[in-house]
């Protein structure tokens, strides 16, 4: 199936937007970590334990992890459903749409989020573990391979789509600024300009 003729976001534009997204998601993660710590401190207070905010119990860790993933999905899903852009995507002029250039469904967004998480999330923790224990080095290199896999896929994909966009039925479009869009509408070209 041929995709509509809207200009796809360039490979480098998507790559640098991903790195910028990684920087911007750190404060979001820090803010999201406050409620679980507060709840754990409240539980400790009710049980008469010292208030450390950290309960070393597998259930507490699982609940905190589920909270973090759920809230991150809501953050990204809300941004992608309302305008198709996170802050990093706005900066790099990229917009997420479905294959018909419409608003992606929640199902497509969940699939994109889950597949992207599988590709990108292991990189940092595995390299950190490899830093302290050399036995983790092969796993860290494997994580690096998973990290670049979506971009390698895009080189060979018929429409230049990342692997998780292909499976989720979404795609990233170049979203020029207002003045740029007016110039392009005036007939000065439909091609994306190189990233400066």
């Amino acid at each position: 199936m041929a995709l509509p003729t809207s200009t796809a976001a360039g490979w480098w534009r998507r790559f640098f937007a991903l790195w910028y997204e990684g920087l911007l998601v750190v404060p979001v993660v820090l803010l999201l970590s406050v409620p679980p710590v507060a709840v754990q401190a409240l539980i400790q207070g009710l049980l008469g334990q010292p208030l450390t905010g950290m309960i070393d119990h597998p259930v507490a860790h699982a609940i905190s992890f589920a909270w973090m993933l759920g809230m991150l999905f809501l953050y990204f899903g809300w941004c992608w459903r309302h305008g198709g852009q996170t802050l990093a995507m706005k900066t790099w002029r990229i917009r997420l749409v479905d294959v018909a250039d419409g608003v992606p469904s929640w199902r497509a967004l969940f699939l994109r989020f889950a597949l992207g998480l599988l590709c990108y999330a292991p990189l940092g923790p595995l390299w950190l573990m490899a830093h302290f224990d050399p036995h983790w080095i092969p796993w860290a290199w494997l994580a690096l391979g998973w990290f670049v896999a979506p971009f390698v896929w895009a080189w060979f994909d018929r429409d230049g789509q990342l692997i998780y966009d292909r499976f989720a039925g979404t795609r990233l479009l170049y979203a020029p600024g207002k003045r740029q869009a007016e110039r392009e509408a005036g007939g000065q070209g439909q091609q994306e300009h190189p990233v400066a």
Side-chain angles (χ1 to χ4, degrees):
M1 172 174 92
L3 293 176
T5 57
S6 302
T7 305
W11 191 93
W12 286 107
R13 182 176 297 276
R14 289 180 285 177
F15 184 74
F16 287 121
L18 174 69
W19 282 102
Y20 190 44
E21 194 76 69
L23 291 174
L24 294 180
V25 84
V26 169
V28 173
V29 168
L30 290 175
L31 286 173
L32 289 175
S33 66
V34 171
V37 171
V39 168
Q40 290 178 21
L42 178 64
I43 291 170
Q44 287 174 334
L46 292 174
L47 296 175
Q49 299 174 349
L51 296 179
T52 63
M54 297 300 291
I55 298 175
D56 194 19
H57 192 276
V59 174
H61 295 294
I63 292 171
S64 293
F65 185 72
W67 160 264
M68 191 68 67
L69 286 183
M71 291 298 104
L72 280 175
F73 171 67
L74 287 178
Y75 164 74
F76 282 106
W78 189 88
C79 290
W80 291 336
R81 287 277 299 174
H82 296 86
Q85 297 175 305
T86 61
L87 183 58
M89 294 167 80
K90 286 179 184 178
T91 302
W92 284 93
R93 297 183 178 148
I94 296 173
R95 185 169 51 95
L96 182 72
V97 296
D98 64 12
V99 291
D101 287 356
V103 177
S105 68
W106 279 105
R107 180 186 175 281
L109 296 179
F110 178 77
L111 187 56
R112 183 179 199 272
F113 177 80
L115 293 174
L117 195 66
L118 286 174
C119 292
Y120 302 135
L123 184 67
L126 286 174
W127 275 101
L128 185 63
M129 291 166 73
H131 177 73
F132 294 107
D133 183 357
H135 292 95
W136 285 96
I137 290 176
W139 294 104
W141 281 108
L142 181 62
L144 183 61
W146 275 113
F147 183 86
V148 299
F151 293 94
V152 172
W153 172 281
W155 278 338
F156 300 103
D157 185 81
R158 68 181 179 274
D159 300 309
Q161 294 302 305
L162 300 167
I163 190 169
Y164 46 82
D165 284 318
R166 174 63 63 197
F167 285 107
T170 58
R171 62 195 198 116
L172 294 171
L173 299 180
Y174 173 60
K178 188 175 179 180
R179 282 185 278 164
Q180 175 90 24
E182 289 171 357
R183 278 196 307 258
E184 289 179 1
Q188 292 186 359
Q190 297 294 323
Q191 299 266 332
E192 177 184 352
H193 298 289
V195 177

